[in-house]
Amino acid sequence: MFNNVGTGDRIIRLILASALAYFGLLIYSGSALGIGLTIAGAVLAISALAGSCMLYGLLGINTRKPQQN
């Protein structure tokens, strides 16, 4: 997989993922909104941990600096 998510972008994604998971699992638990928020948080967390975003790939966006591993 091609890494196209930079360090700053990954940190922001992890913060948003944890907020969405919090709202989905604790605040809106058991509702359709809660399930949607939890899934959105999981997708953000996976893309942050993997360092790759499919939407960025489709749009040709790359926030990763060339020297980052």
Side-chain angles (χ1 to χ4, degrees), residues 46-63:
I46 290 169
S47 69
L49 294 174
S52 181
C53 178
M54 284 196 211
L55 185 60
Y56 276 12
L58 289 173
L59 297 175
I61 299 171
N62 186 359
T63 60

Side-chain angles (χ1 to χ4, degrees), residues 3-69:
N3 290 339
N4 57 1
V5 179
T7 305
D9 197 0
R10 290 172 99 170
I11 292 169
I12 291 169
R13 285 172 185 261
L14 285 173
I15 292 169
L16 286 175
S18 62
L20 289 175
Y22 170 76
F23 282 111
L25 293 173
L26 298 177
I27 304 298
Y28 297 107
S29 64
S31 67
L33 178 61
I35 293 170
L37 290 173
T38 303
I39 291 171
V43 169
L44 277 175
I46 290 169
S47 69
L49 294 174
S52 181
C53 178
M54 284 196 211
L55 185 60
Y56 276 12
L58 289 173
L59 297 175
I61 299 171
N62 186 359
T63 60
R64 183 176 164 259
K65 294 179 183 174
Q67 66 272 18
Q68 282 182 336
N69 289 331

